Amino acid sequence: PSHPEDDFVCAQSRTSPIERWPSARAGIMKSDNSTFGRFSAGGHDIAIDDVAAIAKEAGAAIMKIYTETPLAEWKAIADFKKDGSPLTLADTTANKIICDALAKNYPKIPIMSEELKMLPYEERKAWTYFWCVDPLDGTKEFIKRNGQFTVNSQAEYYGRQDDGRRKNGV
């Protein structure tokens, strides 16, 4: 399912992520000025390159924390959520970068993020499109400093993952 020619992979199938969007199947996908293509969702024309740039910015912020936090302070890098899973400054920083950019650029598309309060199902069930964000997938690995973590932001359509941009080797 990966595209080795670049540092992004589609998180689902072997078909092009672009081909799975209804707008692409309808023949209205445009690739002008976008390496990865464009699609329409929630009343927005979205260049996949723009979403990738957001993931890269979040990845850069994560790496700054990863490389610049002194080892003496590393043990105190994580706090814990109510469910017991770790939460770091890298998680919250990347989440803010991603969610702020998505909300600014695509205000009609709601955002569901691992680091945001979950909205009630009664509200979510009416969503046609939404962004699914895991700003730092692999927080435990981040804490272990083993390099096995990614930035994930993907667009969902009717509950199916239709396109995912995952920044590898963050």
Side-chain angles (χ1 to χ4, degrees), residues 127-130 155-162:
W127 294 353
T128 302
Y129 293 94
F130 65 94
E156 301 266 345
Y157 171 70
Y158 291 116
R160 291 190 326 262
Q161 177 184 321
D162 284 309

Side-chain angles (χ1 to χ4, degrees), residues 50-86:
D50 295 342
V51 179
I54 295 167
K56 283 185 174 187
E57 182 181 351
I62 289 170
M63 288 309 296
K64 181 175 172 63
I65 293 166
Y66 189 73
T67 60
E68 294 181 12
T69 300
L71 288 176
E73 296 174 22
W74 195 257
K75 296 271 187 210
I77 196 156
D79 202 354
F80 293 90
K81 301 182 220 179
K82 289 181 182 178
D83 68 1
S85 61

